[in-house]
Amino acid sequence: MPTTPRTGSPAAFRLDGIRTGLLDCVQANLAVLADHFHGPGTHLRLGSRLDLPVRPLPDGLPTADPALETRLANDAPLAGLIAVRRARLAPADLLAEAARHTGVHYVVADSFHLPWLPYHGKAHMDHSFLLAAGPSGWHVTDAYRIETRWGAAVPGEHVLSAHELSGFASAELVTFVAAAPVPAPPTVAAGDPEPYLTAYAEWPDRLRALEQLAAETWLLARARKLHAAYRAQCAGRSMETDAERAHLAAWDRLVEHTYLAHRRVARGRAEPSGTVDRLRELLAADQQVFTPQPEPAPLPESGEDHPADPELRRRITRIVADVLGITAQDLASGAALDSFASFTSFRLVEIVERVEGELGRELAADELVPERLRRIDDLCRLARDR
């Protein structure tokens, strides 16, 4: 088994710009690739959709942790990553495959057998890392960050021998290519959480239920932090709103509550009440906090609305799509411009200047406020009124 299949050193990845505290152990290294291929902040697109993707675990308890297939098919393309090849391989075959092909390989393996993690020899779960061949051994990059009862996992790079990477029975090797990120306005999916909640409330083995629920609430809290960060990025803000921060703090308190409940039951004490009820309340509050209330359409000055001229709409749509790097079809639904990740205050200025320049008309200065420049309709109205 080759341990030094190449003479050149692998390219280093920048980890300091990754919001590692918002990502789970499968997302973390998708995030590294997203920013590597498409620039800082791209990884926040992994949080564009907030939902409850429930699936059964082997013992029948539900989990909201998406399967790897879901990550690769639905999440990775949002950040400009397309999985073009997957293979489940034994360690010797995985390293031989990585040795044959240049570049970095995305790997998902059992954390129990990964020596740089605090889970090593302690806990089983799917964990991702990036693997590349180098002259001194196998270079592992892992951006995951968490505090555990066995110590901390921190983002970093490691050089391991083939022997150190031979503990797992098999691992998933995924090859990605870079592609244009899929347009991803922030969305909160509606769904019925009651079957999920009922399963945890009524599961007869309370220790097992609370052990899994502690992991569930941690995952759910991180997903909401990532979603809030993406919403802030789309809106051109540096941080969450006050309402979002309060909501995320409540999620953190639920994580603590659930972990404490699990530890008490593990010690043979009575289970604290209210854990599932608090989870129910926070899942319901997601819709209120993260779903913006519809804004009333602006009234035309004449008191009577007139549809935009189709040719005017076509020209403005083309300008906006070109500036934001999206397609005209992406704008067909009437989505707010700030729902697209590429939208910033700088892009808004560019849109206005191009509309004025290409249409040969100056928009009214007192109308040029962000609240009135959110949609294609707004720009059509302002241009038509000139």
Side-chain angles (χ1 to χ4, degrees):
M1 182 184 302
T3 57
T4 57
R6 308 203 185 283
T7 57
S9 296
F13 291 100
R14 288 187 61 87
L15 302 181
D16 53 356
I18 306 294
R19 301 283 294 277
T20 54
L22 313 181
L23 303 162
D24 63 38
C25 55
V26 175
Q27 289 172 325
N29 296 300
L30 291 176
V32 176
L33 292 176
D35 280 21
H36 177 72
F37 287 126
H38 300 294
T42 306
H43 68 281
L44 296 181
R45 297 172 63 86
L46 294 168
S48 63
R49 178 179 172 85
L50 189 65
D51 57 8
L52 195 69
V54 177
R55 62 185 176 92
L57 292 167
D59 63 2
L61 270 171
T63 181
D65 187 17
L68 179 61
E69 289 74 15
T70 300
R71 304 280 200 187
L72 300 182
N74 298 343
D75 297 348
L78 300 176
L81 302 173
I82 304 298
V84 294
R85 183 174 182 274
R86 290 179 60 187
R88 179 157 285 278
L89 302 170
D93 295 329
L94 185 148
L95 296 185
E97 179 75 6
R100 280 194 294 270
H101 300 284
T102 60
V104 174
H105 306 273
Y106 178 87
V107 181
V108 178
D110 185 350
S111 61
F112 190 89
H113 302 292
L114 304 180
W116 66 91
L117 294 173
Y119 302 120
H120 184 228
K122 304 289 195 312
H124 297 274
M125 65 190 72
D126 283 347
H127 189 92
S128 73
F129 59 94
L130 304 179
L131 179 68
S136 55
W138 292 95
H139 290 240
V140 167
T141 299
D142 189 353
Y144 188 50
R145 182 185 299 277
I146 190 177
E147 294 288 336
T148 78
R149 53 181 161 160
W150 305 293
V154 296
E157 297 178 350
H158 316 272
V159 179
L160 303 177
S161 67
H163 175 73
E164 291 172 303
L165 285 170
S166 64
F168 47 84
S170 65
E172 195 86 12
L173 179 65
V174 184
T175 302
F176 288 102
V177 296
V182 173
T187 57
V188 180
D192 180 11
E194 281 306 316
Y196 175 78
L197 296 165
T198 300
Y200 281 98
E202 298 181 355
W203 197 259
D205 184 345
R206 298 312 300 160
L207 180 59
R208 169 66 187 125
L210 289 169
E211 175 189 43
Q212 184 61 37
L213 193 58
E216 295 292 310
T217 54
W218 182 89
L219 285 165
L220 292 169
R222 281 212 172 184
R224 278 132 188 86
K225 291 176 182 177
L226 180 61
H227 183 68
Y230 182 65
R231 294 181 73 89
Q233 182 189 67
C234 290
R237 294 184 272 106
S238 61
M239 62 182 64
E240 305 84 2
T241 66
D242 290 344
E244 289 169 348
R245 280 196 296 276
H247 184 56
L248 297 176
W251 272 103
D252 282 339
R253 291 193 293 271
L254 175 61
V255 173
E256 296 169 1
H257 178 109
T258 310
Y259 181 70
L260 288 172
H262 169 244
R263 297 302 296 165
R264 282 182 62 85
V265 172
R267 292 185 174 96
R269 298 182 181 179
E271 177 182 344
S273 63
T275 306
V276 173
D277 289 338
R278 290 182 67 177
L279 176 55
R280 178 180 287 106
E281 292 170 0
L282 288 178
L283 288 173
D286 285 342
Q287 294 284 339
Q288 300 169 357
V289 173
F290 293 125
T291 303
Q293 297 301 309
E295 298 181 3
L299 294 174
E301 292 181 5
S302 64
E304 171 177 280
D305 200 5
H306 300 282
D309 173 76
E311 178 60 16
L312 176 65
R313 174 178 291 278
R314 186 193 66 78
R315 294 177 68 184
I316 290 179
T317 298
R318 178 185 56 76
I319 292 169
V320 173
D322 186 50
V323 172
L324 297 185
I326 57 179
T327 68
Q329 186 61 37
D330 297 327
L331 296 163
S333 66
L337 305 187
D338 59 6
S339 68
F340 297 97
S342 54
F343 182 89
T344 66
S345 57
F346 298 107
R347 299 288 81 78
L348 179 59
V349 171
E350 185 178 352
I351 288 169
V352 170
E353 290 179 348
R354 285 192 53 178
V355 166
E356 291 181 323
E358 294 189 26
L359 299 184
R361 63 189 77 177
E362 183 175 346
L363 305 183
D366 57 358
E367 292 283 321
L368 296 180
V369 293
E371 293 79 8
R372 299 180 183 180
L373 297 168
R374 293 179 59 114
R375 290 177 168 80
I376 295 296
D377 282 345
D378 298 334
L379 291 163
C380 289
R381 178 178 59 82
L382 292 179
R384 182 195 66 207
D385 291 345
R386 303 309 295 171

